Coordinates of all heavy atoms in Angstrom, one line a residue:
M1 N 6.0 23.4 -2.7 CA 6.6 22.3 -3.4 C 7.0 21.1 -2.5 O 7.2 20.0 -2.9 CB 7.8 22.8 -4.2 CG 9.0 23.2 -3.2 SD 10.4 23.8 -4.2 CE 11.7 23.7 -2.9
D2 N 7.1 21.5 -1.2 CA 7.6 20.5 -0.2 C 6.5 20.0 0.7 O 6.7 19.4 1.7 CB 8.7 21.1 0.6 CG 9.5 20.0 1.4 OD1 9.6 18.9 0.9 OD2 9.9 20.3 2.5
S3 N 5.2 20.3 0.3 CA 4.2 20.0 1.2 C 3.8 18.5 1.2 O 3.6 17.9 0.1 CB 2.9 20.8 0.9 OG 2.4 20.5 -0.3
F4 N 3.7 17.9 2.4 CA 3.3 16.5 2.4 C 1.8 16.4 2.7 O 1.3 17.1 3.5 CB 4.0 15.8 3.6 CG 5.4 15.4 3.2 CD1 6.5 16.4 3.2 CD2 5.8 14.1 2.9 CE1 7.7 16.0 2.8 CE2 7.0 13.7 2.6 CZ 8.0 14.7 2.5
I5 N 1.1 15.5 2.0 CA -0.3 15.3 2.2 C -0.5 13.8 2.4 O 0.3 13.0 2.0 CB -1.2 15.8 1.1 CG1 -0.8 15.2 -0.2 CG2 -1.1 17.3 1.0 CD1 -1.7 15.6 -1.3
E6 N -1.6 13.5 3.1 CA -1.9 12.1 3.5 C -2.2 11.3 2.3 O -3.1 11.6 1.5 CB -3.0 12.1 4.5 CG -3.3 10.7 5.0 CD -4.4 10.7 6.1 OE1 -4.2 11.5 7.1 OE2 -5.4 10.0 6.0
L7 N -1.6 10.1 2.2 CA -1.9 9.2 1.1 C -2.8 8.1 1.6 O -3.7 7.6 0.9 CB -0.5 8.6 0.6 CG -0.7 7.4 -0.4 CD1 -1.2 7.9 -1.7 CD2 0.6 6.6 -0.5
Y8 N -2.5 7.6 2.8 CA -3.1 6.4 3.3 C -3.0 6.3 4.8 O -2.1 6.8 5.4 CB -2.4 5.2 2.6 CG -2.9 3.8 2.9 CD1 -4.2 3.4 2.5 CD2 -2.2 2.9 3.7 CE1 -4.7 2.2 2.8 CE2 -2.7 1.7 4.0 CZ -3.9 1.3 3.6 OH -4.4 0.1 3.9
R9 N -4.0 5.6 5.4 CA -3.9 5.3 6.8 C -3.7 3.8 7.0 O -4.6 3.0 6.6 CB -5.1 5.8 7.6 CG -5.2 7.3 7.6 CD -6.3 7.7 8.4 NE -6.4 9.2 8.4 CZ -6.8 10.0 9.3 NH1 -7.2 9.4 10.5 NH2 -6.8 11.3 9.2
A10 N -2.6 3.4 7.6 CA -2.4 1.9 7.8 C -2.9 1.6 9.2 O -2.8 2.4 10.1 CB -0.9 1.6 7.6
G11 N -3.3 0.3 9.3 CA -3.8 -0.1 10.6 C -2.8 -0.5 11.6 O -3.0 -0.6 12.8
N12 N -1.6 -0.7 11.1 CA -0.5 -1.0 12.0 C 0.9 -0.7 11.4 O 1.0 -0.4 10.2 CB -0.5 -2.5 12.4 CG -0.4 -3.4 11.2 OD1 0.6 -3.4 10.5 ND2 -1.5 -4.2 10.9
L13 N 1.9 -0.7 12.2 CA 3.2 -0.3 11.8 C 3.8 -1.2 10.7 O 4.5 -0.7 9.9 CB 4.1 -0.2 13.0 CG 5.5 0.5 12.9 CD1 5.3 1.9 12.4 CD2 6.2 0.5 14.2
M14 N 3.5 -2.5 10.8 CA 4.0 -3.4 9.9 C 3.5 -3.1 8.5 O 4.3 -3.0 7.5 CB 3.7 -4.8 10.2 CG 4.7 -5.9 9.9 SD 4.2 -7.5 10.5 CE 2.8 -7.8 9.4
E15 N 2.2 -2.8 8.4 CA 1.6 -2.5 7.1 C 2.2 -1.2 6.6 O 2.6 -1.0 5.4 CB 0.1 -2.4 7.2 CG -0.6 -2.1 5.9 CD -2.0 -1.8 6.0 OE1 -2.5 -1.5 7.2 OE2 -2.7 -1.7 5.0
A16 N 2.3 -0.2 7.5 CA 2.9 1.1 7.1 C 4.3 1.0 6.6 O 4.6 1.6 5.5 CB 2.9 2.0 8.3
N17 N 5.1 0.2 7.2 CA 6.5 0.0 6.8 C 6.6 -0.7 5.4 O 7.5 -0.4 4.6 CB 7.3 -0.7 7.8 CG 7.8 0.3 8.9 OD1 8.2 1.4 8.6 ND2 7.9 -0.2 10.1
A18 N 5.7 -1.7 5.2 CA 5.7 -2.4 4.0 C 5.3 -1.5 2.8 O 6.0 -1.5 1.7 CB 4.7 -3.6 4.0
I19 N 4.3 -0.6 3.0 CA 4.0 0.3 1.9 C 5.0 1.4 1.8 O 5.3 1.7 0.6 CB 2.6 0.9 2.3 CG1 1.5 -0.1 2.3 CG2 2.2 2.0 1.3 CD1 0.2 0.3 2.8
K20 N 5.6 1.8 2.9 CA 6.7 2.8 2.8 C 7.8 2.2 1.9 O 8.4 2.9 1.1 CB 7.2 3.1 4.2 CG 8.3 4.1 4.3 CD 8.5 4.5 5.7 CE 9.6 5.6 5.9 NZ 10.9 5.0 5.9
G21 N 8.2 1.0 2.2 CA 9.2 0.3 1.4 C 8.9 0.3 -0.1 O 9.8 0.6 -0.9
A22 N 7.7 0.0 -0.4 CA 7.3 -0.1 -1.8 C 7.4 1.3 -2.5 O 7.8 1.4 -3.6 CB 5.9 -0.7 -1.9
L23 N 7.0 2.3 -1.7 CA 7.1 3.6 -2.3 C 8.5 4.1 -2.5 O 8.8 4.7 -3.5 CB 6.3 4.6 -1.3 CG 4.8 4.4 -1.3 CD1 4.2 5.2 -0.1 CD2 4.2 4.9 -2.6
E24 N 9.3 3.8 -1.5 CA 10.7 4.2 -1.6 C 11.5 3.5 -2.7 O 12.4 4.1 -3.3 CB 11.4 4.0 -0.2 CG 10.9 5.0 0.8 CD 11.5 4.8 2.2 OE1 12.0 3.7 2.4 OE2 11.5 5.7 3.0
Q25 N 11.1 2.3 -3.0 CA 11.7 1.6 -4.1 C 11.4 2.4 -5.4 O 12.1 2.3 -6.4 CB 11.1 0.2 -4.3 CG 11.9 -0.8 -3.4 CD 11.4 -2.2 -3.7 OE1 10.5 -2.5 -4.5 NE2 11.9 -3.2 -3.0
D26 N 10.3 3.1 -5.4 CA 9.9 3.9 -6.6 C 10.4 5.3 -6.5 O 10.1 6.2 -7.3 CB 8.4 3.9 -6.7 CG 7.9 3.4 -8.0 OD1 8.3 2.4 -8.4 OD2 7.1 4.2 -8.7
G27 N 11.3 5.6 -5.5 CA 11.9 6.9 -5.4 C 11.0 7.9 -4.8 O 11.2 9.1 -5.0
I28 N 10.0 7.5 -4.1 CA 9.0 8.4 -3.5 C 9.3 8.6 -2.0 O 9.4 7.6 -1.2 CB 7.6 8.0 -3.6 CG1 7.2 7.9 -5.1 CG2 6.6 8.8 -2.9 CD1 5.9 7.2 -5.4
L29 N 9.5 9.8 -1.6 CA 9.8 10.1 -0.2 C 8.6 10.0 0.7 O 7.5 10.4 0.3 CB 10.3 11.6 -0.1 CG 11.1 12.0 1.2 CD1 12.3 11.1 1.4 CD2 11.5 13.5 1.0
V30 N 8.7 9.3 1.8 CA 7.5 9.0 2.6 C 7.8 9.5 4.1 O 8.9 9.3 4.6 CB 7.2 7.5 2.7 CG1 6.0 7.2 3.5 CG2 7.1 6.9 1.3
R31 N 6.8 10.0 4.7 CA 6.8 10.3 6.1 C 5.7 9.5 6.8 O 4.6 9.4 6.3 CB 6.5 11.8 6.4 CG 7.8 12.7 6.2 CD 7.5 14.1 6.6 NE 8.6 15.0 6.2 CZ 8.5 16.3 6.2 NH1 7.3 16.8 6.6 NH2 9.5 17.0 5.9
L32 N 6.0 9.0 7.9 CA 5.0 8.3 8.7 C 4.7 9.1 10.0 O 5.5 9.7 10.6 CB 5.6 6.9 9.2 CG 6.0 5.9 8.1 CD1 6.5 4.6 8.8 CD2 4.8 5.6 7.2
L33 N 3.4 9.2 10.3 CA 2.9 9.9 11.4 C 2.0 8.9 12.2 O 1.2 8.3 11.6 CB 2.1 11.1 11.1 CG 2.8 12.4 10.6 CD1 1.7 13.4 10.4 CD2 3.8 12.8 11.7
G34 N 2.2 8.9 13.5 CA 1.3 8.0 14.3 C 1.8 7.9 15.7 O 3.0 8.0 16.0
E35 N 0.9 7.5 16.6 CA 1.2 7.4 18.0 C 2.2 6.3 18.2 O 3.1 6.5 19.1 CB -0.1 7.0 18.7 CG 0.0 7.0 20.2 CD 0.1 8.5 20.7 OE1 -0.4 9.4 20.0 OE2 0.7 8.6 21.8
A36 N 2.2 5.2 17.5 CA 3.1 4.1 17.7 C 4.5 4.5 17.4 O 5.4 3.8 17.8 CB 2.7 2.9 16.8
L37 N 4.7 5.6 16.7 CA 6.1 6.0 16.3 C 6.7 6.9 17.4 O 7.9 7.2 17.4 CB 6.0 6.8 15.0 CG 5.4 6.0 13.8 CD1 5.3 6.9 12.6 CD2 6.2 4.8 13.5
G38 N 5.8 7.4 18.3 CA 6.4 8.3 19.3 C 6.5 9.7 18.8 O 6.8 10.6 19.6
G39 N 6.1 10.0 17.6 CA 6.2 11.3 17.1 C 4.8 11.9 17.1 O 3.8 11.2 17.3
A40 N 4.7 13.2 16.8 CA 3.4 13.8 16.6 C 2.5 13.6 17.8 O 1.3 13.3 17.7 CB 2.7 13.4 15.3
A41 N 3.1 13.6 19.0 CA 2.3 13.3 20.2 C 1.2 14.3 20.4 O 1.3 15.5 20.1 CB 3.2 13.4 21.4
G42 N 0.0 13.7 20.8 CA -1.1 14.5 21.1 C -2.0 14.7 19.9 O -3.1 15.2 20.0
E43 N -1.6 14.3 18.7 CA -2.4 14.4 17.5 C -3.5 13.3 17.4 O -4.5 13.5 16.8 CB -1.6 14.4 16.3 CG -1.2 15.8 15.8 CD -0.6 15.8 14.4 OE1 -1.0 14.9 13.6 OE2 0.2 16.6 14.1
L44 N -3.1 12.2 18.0 CA -4.0 11.0 17.8 C -4.4 10.5 19.2 O -3.7 10.7 20.2 CB -3.3 9.9 17.1 CG -2.9 10.2 15.6 CD1 -2.0 9.2 15.1 CD2 -4.2 10.2 14.8
P45 N -5.5 9.8 19.3 CA -5.9 9.2 20.5 C -4.8 8.2 21.0 O -4.1 7.6 20.2 CB -7.2 8.4 20.1 CG -7.7 9.0 18.9 CD -6.5 9.6 18.2
I46 N -4.7 8.1 22.3 CA -3.6 7.4 22.9 C -3.6 5.9 22.5 O -2.5 5.3 22.5 CB -3.6 7.6 24.4 CG1 -2.1 7.8 24.9 CG2 -4.3 6.5 25.1 CD1 -1.9 9.1 25.6
D47 N -4.7 5.4 22.3 CA -4.8 3.9 22.0 C -4.8 3.6 20.5 O -4.9 2.5 20.1 CB -6.1 3.3 22.6 CG -7.3 4.0 22.1 OD1 -7.2 5.0 21.4 OD2 -8.4 3.4 22.3
S48 N -4.5 4.6 19.7 CA -4.6 4.4 18.3 C -3.2 3.9 17.8 O -2.2 4.4 18.1 CB -4.9 5.7 17.6 OG -4.7 5.6 16.2
Q49 N -3.3 2.9 17.0 CA -2.1 2.4 16.3 C -2.1 2.8 14.9 O -1.2 2.3 14.1 CB -2.0 0.8 16.4 CG -1.8 0.3 17.8 CD -0.4 0.7 18.3 OE1 0.6 0.3 17.7 NE2 -0.3 1.4 19.4
E50 N -3.0 3.6 14.5 CA -3.1 4.0 13.1 C -1.9 4.8 12.7 O -1.5 5.7 13.4 CB -4.4 4.8 12.9 CG -4.8 5.0 11.5 CD -6.1 5.6 11.4 OE1 -6.3 6.8 11.7 OE2 -7.1 4.9 11.0
I51 N -1.3 4.4 11.6 CA -0.2 5.1 11.0 C -0.6 5.9 9.8 O -1.1 5.3 8.9 CB 1.0 4.2 10.7 CG1 1.2 3.2 11.8 CG2 2.2 4.9 10.3 CD1 1.8 3.8 13.1
R52 N -0.3 7.1 9.7 CA -0.6 7.9 8.5 C 0.7 8.0 7.6 O 1.7 8.3 8.1 CB -1.1 9.3 8.9 CG -2.4 9.3 9.5 CD -2.6 10.4 10.5 NE -2.7 11.7 9.7 CZ -2.5 12.9 10.3 NH1 -2.2 13.0 11.5 NH2 -2.7 14.0 9.5
L53 N 0.5 7.6 6.4 CA 1.5 7.8 5.4 C 1.4 9.1 4.6 O 0.3 9.3 4.0 CB 1.5 6.6 4.4 CG 2.2 5.3 4.9 CD1 1.3 4.4 5.6 CD2 2.8 4.6 3.7
L54 N 2.4 9.9 4.6 CA 2.4 11.2 3.9 C 3.4 11.1 2.8 O 4.5 10.6 2.9 CB 2.7 12.3 4.9 CG 1.9 12.4 6.2 CD1 2.3 13.7 6.9 CD2 0.5 12.4 6.0
V55 N 3.0 11.7 1.7 CA 3.9 11.8 0.5 C 3.8 13.3 0.1 O 2.8 14.0 0.3 CB 3.6 10.9 -0.6 CG1 3.7 9.4 -0.2 CG2 2.2 11.1 -1.2
Q56 N 4.8 13.6 -0.7 CA 4.8 15.0 -1.3 C 3.7 15.1 -2.3 O 3.5 14.1 -3.1 CB 6.2 15.3 -1.9 CG 7.2 15.7 -0.8 CD 8.6 15.9 -1.4 OE1 9.1 14.9 -1.8 NE2 9.1 17.1 -1.4
R57 N 3.1 16.3 -2.4 CA 2.0 16.5 -3.3 C 2.3 16.1 -4.7 O 1.5 15.5 -5.4 CB 1.5 17.9 -3.2 CG 0.2 18.3 -3.9 CD -0.1 19.7 -3.7 NE -0.5 20.0 -2.3 CZ -1.7 19.8 -1.8 NH1 -2.7 19.3 -2.5 NH2 -2.0 20.1 -0.5
C58 N 3.5 16.4 -5.1 CA 3.9 16.2 -6.5 C 4.1 14.7 -6.8 O 4.1 14.3 -8.0 CB 5.2 16.9 -6.8 SG 6.6 16.5 -5.8
H59 N 4.1 13.9 -5.7 CA 4.3 12.4 -5.9 C 3.0 11.7 -5.7 O 2.9 10.5 -5.8 CB 5.3 11.9 -5.0 CG 6.7 12.2 -5.3 ND1 7.7 12.3 -4.4 CD2 7.3 12.6 -6.5 CE1 8.9 12.6 -4.9 NE2 8.6 12.8 -6.2
L60 N 1.9 12.4 -5.5 CA 0.7 11.8 -5.0 C 0.1 10.8 -6.1 O -0.3 9.7 -5.7 CB -0.4 12.8 -4.7 CG -1.6 12.3 -4.0 CD1 -1.3 11.6 -2.7 CD2 -2.7 13.4 -3.8
D61 N 0.1 11.2 -7.3 CA -0.5 10.3 -8.3 C 0.3 9.0 -8.4 O -0.2 7.9 -8.5 CB -0.5 11.0 -9.7 CG -1.6 12.1 -9.8 OD1 -2.4 12.1 -8.9 OD2 -1.5 12.9 -10.7
R62 N 1.7 9.2 -8.5 CA 2.5 8.0 -8.6 C 2.4 7.1 -7.3 O 2.4 5.9 -7.4 CB 4.0 8.5 -8.8 CG 4.8 7.5 -9.6 CD 5.8 8.3 -10.5 NE 6.7 9.2 -9.7 CZ 7.8 8.8 -9.1 NH1 8.1 7.5 -9.2 NH2 8.5 9.6 -8.5
A63 N 2.4 7.8 -6.2 CA 2.3 7.0 -4.9 C 0.9 6.3 -4.9 O 0.9 5.1 -4.4 CB 2.3 8.0 -3.7
G64 N -0.1 6.9 -5.4 CA -1.4 6.2 -5.5 C -1.3 4.9 -6.3 O -1.9 3.9 -6.0
A65 N -0.6 5.0 -7.4 CA -0.4 3.8 -8.3 C 0.3 2.7 -7.6 O 0.0 1.6 -7.7 CB 0.2 4.2 -9.6
V66 N 1.4 3.1 -6.9 CA 2.2 2.1 -6.1 C 1.3 1.5 -5.0 O 1.4 0.3 -4.9 CB 3.4 2.8 -5.5 CG1 4.2 1.9 -4.5 CG2 4.4 3.3 -6.6
L67 N 0.5 2.3 -4.4 CA -0.3 1.8 -3.3 C -1.3 0.8 -3.9 O -1.5 -0.3 -3.3 CB -1.1 2.9 -2.7 CG -2.0 2.6 -1.5 CD1 -1.2 2.0 -0.3 CD2 -2.8 3.8 -1.0
R68 N -1.9 1.1 -5.0 CA -2.9 0.2 -5.6 C -2.2 -1.1 -6.0 O -2.7 -2.2 -5.9 CB -3.6 0.8 -6.9 CG -4.7 1.7 -6.5 CD -5.5 2.1 -7.7 NE -4.8 2.8 -8.7 CZ -4.6 4.1 -8.6 NH1 -5.0 4.8 -7.6 NH2 -3.9 4.7 -9.5
R69 N -1.0 -1.0 -6.6 CA -0.3 -2.2 -7.0 C 0.1 -3.1 -5.8 O -0.1 -4.3 -5.8 CB 1.0 -1.8 -7.7 CG 1.6 -2.8 -8.6 CD 3.0 -2.5 -9.1 NE 3.2 -1.0 -9.5 CZ 4.3 -0.3 -9.2 NH1 5.3 -0.9 -8.6 NH2 4.3 0.9 -9.6
Y70 N 0.4 -2.4 -4.7 CA 0.8 -3.1 -3.5 C -0.5 -3.9 -3.0 O -0.4 -5.0 -2.6 CB 1.2 -2.1 -2.4 CG 1.4 -2.7 -1.0 CD1 2.5 -3.5 -0.7 CD2 0.3 -2.6 -0.1 CE1 2.6 -4.0 0.6 CE2 0.5 -3.2 1.2 CZ 1.6 -3.9 1.5 OH 1.7 -4.5 2.7
Q71 N -1.6 -3.2 -3.0 CA -2.8 -3.8 -2.5 C -3.3 -4.9 -3.4 O -3.8 -5.9 -2.9 CB -3.9 -2.7 -2.3 CG -3.7 -1.8 -1.2 CD -4.6 -0.6 -1.1 OE1 -5.1 -0.1 -2.1 NE2 -4.9 -0.2 0.1
Q72 N -3.1 -4.8 -4.7 CA -3.5 -5.9 -5.6 C -2.6 -7.1 -5.4 O -3.1 -8.2 -5.5 CB -3.4 -5.4 -7.0 CG -4.6 -4.6 -7.5 CD -4.4 -4.0 -8.9 OE1 -3.3 -4.2 -9.5 NE2 -5.3 -3.2 -9.3
N73 N -1.4 -6.8 -5.0 CA -0.5 -7.9 -4.8 C -0.8 -8.8 -3.6 O -0.5 -9.9 -3.4 CB 1.0 -7.4 -4.6 CG 1.6 -7.1 -5.9 OD1 1.1 -7.5 -7.0 ND2 2.7 -6.3 -5.9
L74 N -1.6 -8.1 -2.7 CA -2.0 -8.9 -1.5 C -3.3 -9.6 -1.7 O -3.6 -10.6 -1.1 CB -2.2 -7.9 -0.3 CG -1.0 -7.3 0.3 CD1 -1.3 -6.4 1.5 CD2 0.1 -8.3 0.6
A75 N -4.2 -9.0 -2.5 CA -5.5 -9.6 -2.7 C -5.6 -10.8 -3.6 O -5.0 -10.7 -4.7 CB -6.5 -8.5 -3.2
P76 N -6.2 -11.8 -3.2 CA -6.4 -13.0 -4.1 C -7.3 -12.6 -5.2 O -8.1 -11.7 -5.1 CB -7.0 -14.1 -3.2 CG -7.6 -13.3 -2.0 CD -6.8 -12.1 -1.9
W77 N -7.1 -13.3 -6.3 CA -8.0 -13.0 -7.5 C -8.5 -14.4 -8.0 O -7.9 -15.4 -7.8 CB -7.2 -12.2 -8.6 CG -5.9 -12.8 -9.0 CD1 -4.7 -12.7 -8.4 CD2 -5.7 -13.7 -10.2 NE1 -3.8 -13.4 -9.1 CE2 -4.3 -14.0 -10.2 CE3 -6.6 -14.2 -11.1 CZ2 -3.8 -14.8 -11.2 CZ3 -6.0 -15.0 -12.1 CH2 -4.7 -15.3 -12.1
Y78 N -9.6 -14.3 -8.8 CA -10.2 -15.5 -9.3 C -10.0 -15.6 -10.9 O -10.2 -14.6 -11.6 CB -11.7 -15.5 -9.0 CG -11.9 -15.7 -7.5 CD1 -12.0 -14.5 -6.7 CD2 -12.0 -16.9 -6.9 CE1 -12.1 -14.7 -5.3 CE2 -12.1 -17.1 -5.5 CZ -12.2 -15.9 -4.7 OH -12.4 -16.0 -3.4
C79 N -9.5 -16.7 -11.3 CA -9.3 -16.9 -12.7 C -10.6 -16.8 -13.5 O -11.6 -17.4 -13.1 CB -8.6 -18.2 -12.9 SG -8.3 -18.6 -14.7
S80 N -10.5 -16.0 -14.6 CA -11.8 -15.8 -15.4 C -12.0 -17.1 -16.3 O -13.1 -17.2 -16.8 CB -11.7 -14.6 -16.2 OG -10.5 -14.6 -17.0
D81 N -11.0 -17.9 -16.4 CA -11.1 -19.1 -17.3 C -11.7 -20.3 -16.5 O -12.6 -21.0 -17.0 CB -9.8 -19.4 -17.9 CG -9.4 -18.4 -18.9 OD1 -10.3 -17.7 -19.5 OD2 -8.2 -18.2 -19.1
C82 N -11.1 -20.6 -15.4 CA -11.4 -21.8 -14.6 C -12.0 -21.5 -13.3 O -12.5 -22.4 -12.6 CB -10.2 -22.7 -14.5 SG -9.0 -22.2 -13.4
G83 N -12.0 -20.2 -12.8 CA -12.6 -19.9 -11.6 C -11.7 -20.2 -10.3 O -12.2 -20.0 -9.2
E84 N -10.5 -20.6 -10.6 CA -9.6 -21.0 -9.5 C -9.2 -19.7 -8.7 O -8.9 -18.7 -9.3 CB -8.4 -21.7 -10.0 CG -7.5 -22.3 -8.9 CD -8.3 -23.4 -8.1 OE1 -8.9 -24.2 -8.6 OE2 -8.2 -23.3 -6.8
Q85 N -9.1 -19.8 -7.4 CA -8.5 -18.7 -6.6 C -7.0 -18.7 -6.6 O -6.4 -19.8 -6.4 CB -9.0 -18.7 -5.2 CG -8.5 -17.6 -4.3 CD -9.0 -17.6 -2.9 OE1 -10.1 -18.1 -2.6 NE2 -8.3 -17.0 -2.0
N86 N -6.4 -17.6 -6.9 CA -5.0 -17.5 -7.0 C -4.5 -16.4 -6.0 O -5.1 -15.4 -5.8 CB -4.5 -17.0 -8.4 CG -4.7 -18.1 -9.4 OD1 -3.9 -19.0 -9.6 ND2 -5.9 -18.1 -10.1
D87 N -3.3 -16.7 -5.4 CA -2.7 -15.6 -4.5 C -2.3 -14.4 -5.4 O -2.0 -14.6 -6.5 CB -1.5 -16.2 -3.8 CG -1.9 -17.2 -2.7 OD1 -3.1 -17.2 -2.3 OD2 -1.0 -17.9 -2.2
G88 N -2.3 -13.3 -4.7 CA -2.1 -12.0 -5.4 C -0.8 -11.9 -6.1 O -0.7 -11.2 -7.1
H89 N 0.2 -12.7 -5.7 CA 1.5 -12.5 -6.3 C 1.7 -13.3 -7.6 O 2.7 -13.2 -8.3 CB 2.7 -12.8 -5.3 CG 2.7 -14.2 -4.8 ND1 2.0 -14.5 -3.6 CD2 3.2 -15.3 -5.2 CE1 2.1 -15.8 -3.4 NE2 2.9 -16.3 -4.4
F90 N 0.7 -14.2 -7.9 CA 0.7 -14.9 -9.1 C 0.2 -14.1 -10.2 O -0.9 -13.4 -10.1 CB -0.1 -16.2 -9.0 CG 0.4 -17.3 -8.2 CD1 -0.2 -17.7 -7.0 CD2 1.7 -17.9 -8.5 CE1 0.3 -18.7 -6.2 CE2 2.2 -18.9 -7.7 CZ 1.5 -19.3 -6.5
E91 N 0.9 -14.0 -11.4 CA 0.4 -13.2 -12.5 C -0.5 -14.0 -13.4 O -1.3 -13.4 -14.1 CB 1.6 -12.6 -13.2 CG 2.3 -11.5 -12.4 CD 3.4 -10.8 -13.2 OE1 3.6 -11.2 -14.3 OE2 4.0 -10.0 -12.6
V92 N -0.3 -15.3 -13.4 CA -1.2 -16.2 -14.2 C -1.7 -17.3 -13.3 O -1.1 -17.6 -12.3 CB -0.4 -16.8 -15.4 CG1 0.1 -15.7 -16.4 CG2 0.7 -17.7 -15.0
C93 N -2.8 -17.8 -13.7 CA -3.5 -18.9 -12.9 C -2.6 -20.1 -12.8 O -2.0 -20.6 -13.8 CB -4.8 -19.3 -13.6 SG -5.6 -20.6 -12.8
W94 N -2.4 -20.5 -11.6 CA -1.5 -21.7 -11.3 C -2.1 -22.9 -11.9 O -1.4 -23.9 -12.2 CB -1.2 -21.8 -9.8 CG -2.4 -22.2 -9.0 CD1 -3.2 -21.3 -8.4 CD2 -3.0 -23.5 -8.7 NE1 -4.3 -21.9 -7.7 CE2 -4.1 -23.3 -7.9 CE3 -2.6 -24.8 -9.1 CZ2 -4.9 -24.4 -7.5 CZ3 -3.4 -25.8 -8.6 CH2 -4.5 -25.6 -7.8
R95 N -3.4 -22.9 -12.1 CA -4.1 -24.2 -12.5 C -4.1 -24.3 -14.0 O -3.8 -25.4 -14.6 CB -5.5 -24.2 -12.0 CG -6.2 -25.5 -12.1 CD -7.6 -25.4 -11.5 NE -8.3 -26.7 -11.6 CZ -9.6 -26.8 -11.3 NH1 -10.2 -25.7 -10.9 NH2 -10.2 -27.9 -11.4
C96 N -4.6 -23.2 -14.7 CA -4.7 -23.4 -16.2 C -3.8 -22.4 -16.9 O -3.8 -22.5 -18.2 CB -6.2 -23.1 -16.5 SG -6.7 -21.4 -16.4
G97 N -3.1 -21.5 -16.3 CA -2.2 -20.6 -17.0 C -2.9 -19.4 -17.5 O -2.3 -18.6 -18.2
G98 N -4.2 -19.2 -17.3 CA -4.9 -18.1 -17.7 C -4.5 -16.8 -17.0 O -4.0 -16.9 -15.8
E99 N -4.7 -15.7 -17.6 CA -4.4 -14.4 -16.9 C -5.5 -13.9 -16.1 O -6.7 -14.2 -16.4 CB -3.9 -13.4 -18.0 CG -2.6 -13.9 -18.6 CD -2.0 -12.8 -19.5 OE1 -2.3 -11.6 -19.3 OE2 -1.3 -13.2 -20.5
S100 N -5.2 -13.0 -15.2 CA -6.2 -12.6 -14.2 C -7.3 -11.7 -14.9 O -8.4 -11.6 -14.4 CB -5.6 -11.7 -13.1 OG -5.1 -10.5 -13.6
G101 N -6.9 -11.1 -16.0 CA -7.9 -10.2 -16.7 C -8.1 -8.9 -16.0 O -8.9 -8.1 -16.4
N102 N -7.3 -8.6 -15.1 CA -7.3 -7.2 -14.4 C -6.6 -6.2 -15.3 O -5.5 -6.4 -15.7 CB -6.7 -7.3 -13.0 CG -7.5 -8.0 -12.1 OD1 -8.8 -8.0 -12.2 ND2 -6.9 -8.6 -11.1
Ligands
LIG201 ZN1 -7.4 -20.7 -14.4

């Protein structure tokens, strides 16, 4: 019931902490593993900055949803009405007010 499994591998500590924060806002317990943290020594190559995010198995589905939401918030999207590119944090097109259609 307490087993942690890998949810995601972040390319750097900043990304890992941002995702960790989003998960914790949702009440999901997160563990970070990686060379840059000074923990889990010897598990990863010495030059690796990759950070592994672990969540409890029972939270995996919910954590996956939070992760997808986080990634969608970063990715720009294109308005299906006018074709304008919008930053990920806009919910409607800044130009014509159309919705992303996602
Ligand atoms: Zn538009």
Side-chain angles (χ1 to χ4, degrees):
M1 66 180 198
D2 194 32
S3 66
F4 279 77
I5 58 176
E6 182 174 308
L7 170 72
Y8 181 68
R9 292 184 181 212
N12 59 64
L13 192 55
M14 211 176 71
E15 183 190 13
N17 275 324
I19 296 173
K20 179 171 183 274
L23 291 166
E24 286 176 342
Q25 273 185 3
D26 234 52
I28 297 169
L29 198 59
V30 182
R31 278 187 191 165
L32 299 182
L33 281 183
E35 189 71 27
L37 305 172
E43 265 193 28
L44 294 168
I46 217 121
D47 59 348
S48 174
Q49 291 292 303
E50 194 171 71
I51 313 291
R52 290 152 71 199
L53 278 89
L54 310 185
V55 299
Q56 283 173 292
R57 189 176 293 275
C58 59
H59 287 156
L60 188 62
D61 286 347
R62 212 145 55 84
V66 172
L67 181 63
R68 278 193 298 277
R69 205 190 316 143
Y70 171 83
Q71 289 172 327
Q72 279 173 2
N73 282 344
L74 291 185
W77 55 275
Y78 293 89
C79 178
S80 54
D81 293 330
C82 72
E84 189 62 47
Q85 180 178 333
N86 291 275
D87 286 345
H89 62 270
F90 289 117
E91 287 185 2
V92 298
C93 177
W94 63 268
R95 189 177 182 193
C96 74
E99 295 187 25
S100 69
N102 286 333

